[in-house]
Amino acid sequence: MSQPSLVQLDARRRACRPTLVVVAHGSRDPRALSTVRALLDDVRARRPGLPVRLGHIELNEPLLTDTLADLDAAGTADAVLVPLLLARGHHVKRDIPEAAAAVRVRTRVAAPLGPHPLLADALLARLVEAGWRTDMSAAERAASAVVLAAAGSRDPDSAVDTRRTARLLAERLGVPVVPAYASTAAPTVTTALRALAAKGRDRVAVASCFTAPGRFATECAQAAPWIASAPLGTHPAMADLLLHRYDRALAAGAESTAA
C-alpha cells in the first residue's frame, strides 16, 4: 500500500481541525450582523481550510444553540467557541458553557477578546481614523483624555477586564483613559465626561469598545464632546485576535490532555 503524499497528509490535518465557532451577542441593528459576517470572512481568508461558524447568544440567527446542534448532527468531533465579546461576564461564564454542554461535540470555550494588546491596537487605530493625533503638543496632551465606552455588566470581572483594556490604551496614547459604561455598571459615559471636564480635560474622545454598530455604540458616540471612534468591527486586529484565542484554547486543551 502506497504511503500518503505530503499534500494528502496536509489535507487530512486540515480536515481534523476543530471548528471555530465565533459567538456573537446579537443585535437588533442590521449593521451588526453584516459586520460580524464580514469579520468571519476575514478570519476564513487568514486561515484557509479552517471550518468557521457563527452562533449568536440572542436576537440574531443562527443562534448558538442551533449552530451547535447542526455540528452535532453532522458528526463534528471538536469545536472551539470564541466569544466575540470584549470582557468576561455572564455570557462567557454561564450562557456559552451551558450551550456547549448540551451537545455531544467536544468543545472548548476560549477567553473573550479583551483585555489584550491587539484589542488596544484596534482601539487606537479607530481613534486615529476619527481624528486623534498621535503628535500632540504637551499642552494638547494635558487637555486631552479618552472615555473607553463599553457595554457594562453586573459581573465584577467584566469591569476588571475593561479597566485593563483602558490601561493598555492609555499606555499607547499617553493620556488618561477612563472606562465607562452604556448600561448596568458605573460610571456612565456622561458621568465620566463630566468628571474629566472638571479636571480641565476639555479635549475628550470617546473610544467605542464595541464589536459592531448598535444602540449602545450609537448612544455613546452621540455623547462625545469632541470625536468618537467607530466600533471595532472588521479592523484586521479583530480577526487576528479571534484566531489567537482559538489557538490558545487548542494549546491549553493539548496541555491538559498531556498532563
Side-chain angles (χ1 to χ4, degrees):
M1 181 180 297
S2 61
Q3 295 296 316
S5 67
L6 291 177
V7 173
Q8 290 171 323
L9 288 172
D10 185 63
R12 292 179 188 176
R13 180 179 61 80
R14 288 173 180 268
C16 293
R17 290 179 180 177
T19 298
L20 164 57
V21 179
V22 176
V23 185
H25 182 276
S27 171
R28 292 183 177 86
D29 191 317
R31 296 173 297 170
L33 181 57
S34 60
T35 298
V36 172
R37 290 192 182 281
L39 176 58
L40 264 63
D41 287 342
D42 192 7
V43 170
R44 294 184 182 101
R46 290 165 185 267
R47 192 73 61 89
L50 174 65
V52 179
R53 299 287 297 273
L54 172 63
H56 292 92
I57 295 169
E58 60 182 357
L59 299 176
N60 289 120
E61 295 181 350
L63 291 172
L64 175 61
T65 50
D66 294 333
T67 296
L68 292 174
D70 289 346
L71 292 175
D72 194 350
T76 301
D78 297 278
V80 177
L81 280 56
V82 181
L84 187 60
L85 303 169
L86 305 179
R88 291 170 293 172
H90 185 81
H91 294 316
V92 174
K93 294 180 178 181
R94 295 285 301 277
D95 293 339
I96 297 174
E98 287 177 1
V103 294
R104 292 169 294 180
V105 180
R106 186 173 68 177
T107 58
R108 303 173 181 89
V109 179
L113 301 190
H116 193 275
L118 282 171
L119 180 59
D121 291 344
L123 288 164
L124 172 58
R126 288 292 191 235
L127 280 171
V128 170
E129 291 170 1
W132 183 275
R133 288 184 20 247
T134 57
D135 60 345
M136 291 181 187
S137 66
E140 289 173 325
R141 202 170 296 280
S144 301
V146 171
V147 169
L148 181 67
S153 170
R154 292 183 179 88
D155 190 316
D157 284 338
S158 178
V160 170
D161 289 347
T162 304
R163 286 195 296 269
R164 288 182 61 194
T165 298
R167 287 196 295 270
L168 288 170
L169 183 58
E171 290 170 1
R172 286 156 174 75
L173 295 173
V175 302
V177 177
V178 177
Y181 305 96
S183 69
T184 308
T188 66
V189 171
T190 302
T191 300
L193 289 168
R194 288 186 187 134
L196 287 167
K199 295 177 181 179
R201 302 277 177 172
D202 55 11
R203 286 168 47 89
V204 181
V206 172
S208 182
C209 196
F210 300 99
T211 57
R215 179 170 66 89
F216 285 163
T218 299
E219 290 175 353
C220 291
Q222 289 172 344
W226 180 34
I227 59 173
S229 63
L232 298 162
T234 55
H235 187 277
M238 296 294 284
D240 290 338
L241 190 44
L242 282 168
L243 288 169
H244 171 75
R245 292 304 196 202
Y246 171 86
D247 291 338
R248 288 292 300 272
L250 282 184
E255 290 170 2
S256 63
T257 300

